[in-house]
Amino acid sequence: MSSAKQNHSNQNVDRLTLLARSLFTGFIGGVLWSLIASIFYYFNFMEVSPKSFLLTSWINADWTDKWLGNFFTILIGGIVSVVIAFLYYILLKKVYSLWVSIVFGIAVWGIVFFVFQPLFPNVPHITELSLNTWVTTICVFVLYGTFVGYSISYNYEDWQKAKPPQSESSE
């Protein structure tokens, strides 16, 4: 019986480690793709920057237009991405498919640009944005969804393979 309790305890620790790795993946993905989106905005591939969504919609200060504003935007992008990664972990971690991750990225893009758009007064409606902005933002979100989603699914699949098989007599 003590062996069964130990095995159950190890599985709980492994599951928490898997969740922590998934949340960390979400943070890194948010930071990375917020940084890349900011670079795309700087080089005029997009008409809206991540800063328009994450920072300047709620804060009107001079420092938001400087490097500190970009830094906090990227940090906030990482924090928001932790929540998105948690949702992916809860809903789709067992689905080990690149296509699901791509669709997830497109779904996040749709939620940001259609559902949450009224929350961002600094961002024009999607119909007022250029085709370059559409294509670039969709690509960034597809790559973000692929990075976060496929990494979480891969970690889950790897964890499943590493688990020792459970025997029926251990119950």
Side-chain angles (χ1 to χ4, degrees), residues 3 7 17 21 43 51 57 82 105 114-115 117:
S3 173
N7 189 20
T17 303
R21 287 175 63 182
F43 286 112
K51 190 177 359 178
S57 290
V82 168
F114 289 105
V115 177
Q117 199 281 331

Side-chain angles (χ1 to χ4, degrees), residues 57-165:
S57 290
W58 295 285
I59 298 174
N60 286 331
D62 292 335
W63 62 270
T64 58
D65 291 328
K66 304 200 180 352
W67 69 269
L68 192 59
N70 288 327
F71 174 76
F72 277 112
T73 296
I74 292 167
L75 188 66
I76 292 169
I79 293 168
V80 169
S81 182
V82 168
V83 175
I84 294 170
F86 182 70
L87 290 174
Y88 191 94
Y89 178 83
I90 295 297
L91 300 174
L92 299 169
K93 72 177 176 246
K94 294 180 181 179
V95 182
Y96 188 59
S97 169
L98 184 62
W99 292 107
V100 171
S101 300
I102 290 170
V103 170
F104 178 75
I106 293 170
V108 172
W109 178 84
I111 289 169
V112 167
F113 278 91
F114 289 105
V115 177
F116 288 155
Q117 199 281 331
L119 297 175
F120 309 122
N122 295 343
V123 179
H125 192 268
I126 191 73
T127 58
E128 298 170 7
L129 297 174
S130 70
L131 182 62
N132 284 343
T133 301
W134 276 56
V135 170
T136 305
T137 56
I138 289 172
C139 288
V140 167
F141 276 90
V142 162
L143 291 169
Y144 165 77
T146 302
F147 179 86
V148 171
Y150 200 68
S151 296
I152 290 171
S153 294
Y154 178 82
N155 283 334
Y156 180 77
E157 187 77 17
D158 193 41
W159 176 71
Q160 287 289 76
K161 289 178 183 175
K163 272 187 358 182

Side-chain angles (χ1 to χ4, degrees), residues 7-21 89 159 162-164:
N7 189 20
H8 183 68
S9 175
N10 287 343
Q11 284 183 348
N12 286 340
V13 169
D14 288 344
R15 196 169 297 204
L16 286 175
T17 303
L18 180 65
L19 176 61
R21 287 175 63 182
Y89 178 83
W159 176 71
K163 272 187 358 182

